[in-house]
Amino acid sequence: MPRTQVAIVGAGPAGLLLAQLLHLRGIDSVVLERHTRSYVEARIRAGVLEQGSVDLLTKAGLADRLHRERLVHHGLELLFDGVGHHVPLTELAGRELTIYGQHELVTDLVAARLDTGRPLLFEAPAVGIDGLDTDSPVVHYVHNGRTEELHCDFVAGCDGFHGVSRPAAAGLTRYEYEYPYAWLGVLAEVAPSAEELIYASHDRGFALHSMRSPTLTRLYLQVSPDASVSAWPDERVWAELRTRLDRTSGFELADGPIVDKAVTALRSFVVEPMRYRRLFLAGDAAHIVPATGAKGLNLAVVDVAVLASALTRWFADGDAAGLESYSDTCLARVWRVQHFSWWMTSMLHRAPDADPFTRRLQLSQLRYLTSSAAAATSFAENYVGLPFPEGAQ
Ligand code: APR
Ligand code: PHB
């Protein structure tokens, strides 16, 4: 019967990066992924990497193409009352940001995994996990129409918000909040209309101008949570973006063919602890942040870096200290990022029942942020990413 040291459920950024970090330390794993390779490599997600994430990927030998193709940003723009305000992130917080599509990173990680010759099975959904209270848990999965068993020392639940790992754990506490709005995201074949990301707070709702490359623009609009893509034909998307990104002077939004369009819910979610016996949850399986701070992928990177170090200690000499502290170490950062993401989301979006009082509070916060060095620095250090915790390497 197949056996491995670490069974990794899910080939998103969390599962694939964990597999690589373990491989570099000589630890064997099997990665099980529900979808096809082309599906995971084409799935459009966010695209902002903290410097800490890039440094870790670079050290692990996973960032060659990233360094060739990425865009490096040193600031962003906050737009409100028709005026854009530049926030010099690197000057304030000493770190740069990398723009690189998450699906490009996943493509690189899949290639790196396949190069190692270690197993990565696509179209192989895990359907159940048991034996978590023994020394040898079992992951049941389906592959080529047959149900198989994978025996292991540990299970890494990297299977996202809708996976099977979290439900296999007992005694977890959930903390969650659903926002009364969602994002409509589009990818357009047109050169970005500005050099920096633009976060716009408008009376009609939030809008974001982002990018993927010199020829690809990524844009988002706040929409209602029950909005459907069919209610947003391209002309309506561009007209609404023009309205919300408008300013009193000097900005023209260029449009082009829209090649991807999807609605994403905004949610804050955490489970505590991020562990149940021999199961360790990482990435979206353990926590979700609203996309406004672009932190989801960066949190997943920290989780698996902490987990890889902890497992290395355990396999090297049976030292369980890293495994024991895994959840607390990760949760400290998760809650800081939860707060930042919630705060940024609340400041920039228009609540459906928004009263003029709340709107004035939002504008007052934005004016403070763009006029006080102390406030801007606090924003910047969170946005570029706080230092990785000790033990994440
Ligand atoms: N068996 C196998 N694979 C599964 C199963 C299952 N039962 N359930 C889900 N999966 C797979 C999904 O198909 C997906 O490829 O697990 C993977 C989880 O990947 P992500 O959802 O990308 O989550 P994660 O790797 O934690 O990435 C962190 O950062 O930008 C954010 O939310 C965004 O995906 C992003 C996240
Ligand atoms: C993106 O480019 O997809 C993006 C950028 C910034 C965010 C969220 C998403 O805050």
Side-chain angles (χ1 to χ4, degrees), residues 79 82 190 193 200 202 204 206-209 219-221 232 234-248 251-256:
L79 170 63
V190 59
S193 301
H202 190 276
R204 290 175 62 86
F206 171 73
L208 169 59
H209 168 279
L219 299 139
Y220 297 95
L221 278 174
W232 284 92
D234 296 2
E235 314 77 67
R236 184 178 177 205
V237 172
W238 289 115
E240 194 62 33
L241 282 166
R242 282 218 167 80
T243 303
R244 297 192 198 174
L245 292 170
D246 193 28
R247 57 182 76 202
T248 40
F251 181 77
E252 188 86 27
L253 180 66
D255 59 31

Side-chain angles (χ1 to χ4, degrees), residues 10 12-14 32-35 43 45 102 126 158-159 283-284 296-297:
L32 302 172
E33 167 57 46
R34 180 211 301 261
H35 287 294
R43 194 168 38 190
R45 294 274 185 78
Q102 182 173 313
C158 302
D159 45 353
D284 278 15
L297 172 58

Side-chain angles (χ1 to χ4, degrees), residues 18 23 45 48 56 66 86 95 101 127 131 148 160 179 181 184 190 209 226 249 256 276 284 294 300 313 391:
L18 177 64
H23 164 73
R45 294 274 185 78
V48 181
L56 187 129
L66 181 148
H86 171 67
R95 286 165 166 243
V127 291
E148 310 276 359
Y179 297 81
Y181 31 77
L184 176 75
V190 59
H209 168 279
D226 52 12
S249 65
Y276 175 69
D284 278 15
R313 279 171 78 179

